[in-house]
Amino acid sequence: MGVIRKTKSVNTILEIFDKNEHAISVVELVDQLSHAMNKTTIYRILERLDQDAVLHSFLGKNGVKWYAKCNNCTSDHHHDVHPHFQCVQCGKTDCMDMDVRMPNTPNRQIESVQVLYTGTCEDCM
Ligand SMILES: [Zn+2]
Ligand SMILES: [Zn+2]
Ligand SMILES: [Zn+2]
């Protein structure tokens, strides 16, 4: 856990991620949290949790932003470079426990990569 202050709103958001083993889209988060806080607060907290390496974000289909819990990331640094999978039938999206190989190029320093696999999940097969 990084420098983020554990306010009530932060805890409310973290509780949702503790209860959910899959990634959660911003659309769903705003929907679930609309009674507790406004959209701006939700976006601000998510951004800070991302900076603190508590959560990481990625883009799913149609450019929708998703968040998932980090594994083994130390405060303010992400170590988890992995692909994500989105089911085209039910929309379920999760982290894949696989490494993504970073290419080694002489004149570019590569820091991040985004891989999104789409297909059919075990429930929809
Ligand atoms: Zn991370
Ligand atoms: Zn599915
Ligand atoms: Zn992930």
Side-chain angles (χ1 to χ4, degrees):
M1 178 63 82
V3 291
I4 193 161
R5 259 187 52 225
K6 291 265 242 153
T7 60
K8 196 166 162 253
S9 303
V10 172
N11 283 328
T12 307
I13 290 184
L14 288 174
E15 267 167 31
I16 294 181
F17 282 94
D18 281 340
K19 273 186 252 159
N20 201 318
E21 55 179 318
H22 307 296
I24 311 171
S25 73
V26 165
V27 180
E28 203 183 319
L29 283 165
V30 168
D31 200 54
Q32 277 195 41
L33 293 164
S34 56
H35 65 281
M37 60 194 94
N38 66 40
K39 228 174 164 169
T40 320
T41 309
I42 299 169
Y43 283 120
R44 206 187 51 227
I45 292 173
L46 288 172
E47 207 165 292
R48 273 165 53 197
L49 290 170
D50 194 345
Q51 276 166 15
D52 282 358
V54 178
L55 303 175
H56 59 278
S57 63
F58 56 95
L59 294 180
K61 265 176 54 183
N62 307 322
V64 174
K65 205 167 184 184
W66 291 74
Y67 282 89
K69 263 190 293 190
C70 280
N71 262 328
N72 307 319
C73 289
T74 42
S75 57
D76 76 22
H77 196 82
H78 288 287
H79 301 290
D80 48 352
V81 179
H82 53 256
H84 292 94
F85 179 88
Q86 186 161 32
C87 176
V88 292
Q89 311 284 339
C90 70
K92 187 174 84 184
T93 303
D94 43 27
C95 300
M96 294 181 87
D97 194 12
M98 281 163 60
D99 280 336
V100 178
R101 251 190 65 197
M102 298 289 217
N104 229 330
T105 50
N107 53 352
R108 299 279 189 279
Q109 196 192 337
I110 294 171
E111 287 169 353
S112 70
V113 62
Q114 232 181 238
V115 181
L116 180 75
Y117 293 113
T118 54
T120 311
C121 79
E122 64 274 25
D123 297 332
C124 300
M125 216 114 70

